[in-house]
Amino acid sequence: EAGVAQSPRYKIIEKRQSVAFWCNPISGHATLYWYQQILGQGPKLLIQFQNNGVVDDSQLPKDRFSAERLKGVDSTLKIQPAKLEDSAVYLCASSLVGSAEKLFFGSGTQLSVL
Amino acid sequence: GNSVTQMEGPVTLSEEAFLTINCTYTATGYPSLFWYVQYPGEGLQLLLKATKADDKGSNKGFEATYRKETTSFHLEKGSVQVSDSAVYFCALSGTSGSRLTFGEGTQLTVNP
């Protein structure tokens, strides 16, 4: 079974630029999550989708972050404009039934904002 | 709100040493508790879990017991190997079931 795919693996941008990350969840997984993992901290949930609807985006900085999941499969997370404090690893995860007990994570996109 | 606190790290051990990584939590209701592991260059992987008080999760020689009276879920292994070198995260999911709250992570290095 293929895992959660993310791209790019690394991204370096300057502050105020825009950046987008892509995630392809495990086939058939209805629930998709984006987490932000700042160096030395645990991952923090940014947004959760159930199919193509948003379930929880309470911790998403909506003035600069946006995410979409068209057709309930792939998802894109965008930052515009980026700030220095956005430097982090962005993790995508998916689950079949929306349960934390059956969550699968991708390898992440490491973002450096200079 | 929910929170997870892990012991300060990093932890460096010799091969075959005993490992304990402490984890305590704050949550309302009856959360499920997890340990995730992140090997270098890889994604987070579920190591073990416990869904109710006094449950013991175990996998690959690692164990953790859900202690509601002390709100703890300490990770233990009797004899660590070099291949156990990784970052370990304690996490919980609340009564809603799907959102994970993570601790800060503990870097474990095992030397031959």
Side-chain angles (χ1 to χ4, degrees):
Chain A
E1 177 180 76
V4 177
Q6 290 188 246
S7 67
R9 188 73 180 89
Y10 303 94
K11 189 73 177 178
I12 300 174
I13 62 172
E14 294 186 349
K15 60 183 179 183
R16 292 188 289 274
Q17 286 187 323
S18 302
V19 64
F21 314 124
W22 174 82
C23 173
N24 185 15
I26 293 173
S27 177
H29 281 196
T31 309
L32 185 147
Y33 311 78
W34 283 102
Y35 283 82
Q36 180 192 56
Q37 185 178 6
I38 294 173
L39 185 65
Q41 300 181 19
K44 181 185 79 173
L45 180 68
L46 292 176
I47 189 167
Q48 176 186 346
F49 291 95
Q50 181 71 22
N51 296 309
N52 60 350
V54 175
V55 174
D56 183 352
D57 64 356
S58 57
Q59 297 195 95
L60 186 73
K62 298 180 185 64
D63 57 332
R64 299 183 301 105
F65 286 66
S66 65
E68 61 183 9
R69 192 184 183 198
L70 300 177
K71 302 181 182 179
V73 181
D74 294 4
S75 178
T76 303
L77 176 69
K78 297 180 181 178
I79 308 175
Q80 180 180 10
K83 293 185 175 182
L84 297 177
E85 58 261 36
D86 298 331
S87 295
V89 176
Y90 291 85
L91 297 167
C92 180
S94 70
S95 69
L96 185 60
V97 294
S99 169
E101 300 179 25
K102 299 184 187 298
L103 213 61
F104 294 87
F105 283 84
S107 298
T109 295
Q110 184 172 326
L111 173 67
S112 297
V113 182
L114 306 178
Chain B
N2 297 338
S3 67
V4 176
T5 301
Q6 289 183 231
M7 65 184 296
E8 294 183 6
V11 175
T12 301
L13 296 173
S14 298
E15 205 164 23
E16 300 184 1
F18 184 85
L19 168 70
T20 299
I21 301 177
N22 291 336
C23 171
T24 58
Y25 68 90
T26 302
T28 55
Y30 300 92
S32 293
L33 301 175
F34 308 84
W35 277 100
Y36 278 82
V37 59
Q38 189 171 35
Y39 298 104
E42 298 184 17
L44 283 162
Q45 302 174 27
L46 178 63
L47 180 60
L48 54 84
K49 66 181 181 183
T51 58
K52 61 183 186 294
D54 300 323
D55 267 3
K56 177 184 284 188
S58 61
N59 185 26
K60 300 181 180 180
F62 291 89
E63 294 183 340
T65 301
Y66 188 147
R67 302 286 189 198
K68 189 163 179 61
E69 63 275 14
T70 55
T71 62
S72 65
F73 192 55
H74 305 321
L75 182 68
E76 296 182 337
K77 187 175 185 182
S79 177
V80 293
Q81 305 301 312
V82 172
S83 57
D84 294 326
S85 298
V87 182
Y88 293 81
F89 292 92
C90 185
L92 68 82
S93 68
T95 52
S96 65
S98 62
R99 177 176 175 167
L100 280 171
T101 299
F102 286 88
E104 313 86 64
T106 300
Q107 172 75 56
L108 170 66
T109 301
V110 181
N111 296 317

